[in-house]
Amino acid sequence: MLNIGIAAIAAYIGAGGLGLLIRTGITQTDTRQILAGAIAVSVLALVSDRLFALLQRRLTSPGLAPA
């Protein structure tokens, strides 16, 4: 999840991506663009967190799983 947040910040060094919406919104003082970028990054982070948690549960041996 940290990598997703850093990728959004990478727009400030010219890497593009979802952070570009946030950066453009800040420079143009357009709240809609800022919110669109922030919501997209947040949803992406939450979905990937849930998917990795599911993957971890599926791959963890039953003997090692928490009770």
Side-chain angles (χ1 to χ4, degrees), residues 2 4 8 23 35-36 38 41 44 53 56 61:
L2 181 62
I4 294 171
R23 191 186 88 192
L35 284 176
V41 169
L44 181 63
Q56 180 181 359
S61 173

Side-chain angles (χ1 to χ4, degrees), residues 24-62:
T24 305
I26 290 172
T27 58
Q28 296 177 353
T29 51
D30 185 5
T31 308
R32 293 176 299 173
Q33 281 188 351
I34 297 170
L35 284 176
I39 290 171
V41 169
S42 300
V43 167
L44 181 63
L46 288 171
V47 167
S48 65
D49 183 51
R50 296 293 180 220
L51 288 175
F52 279 119
L54 178 64
L55 183 66
Q56 180 181 359
R57 276 191 299 250
R58 303 273 289 156
L59 295 178
T60 301
S61 173

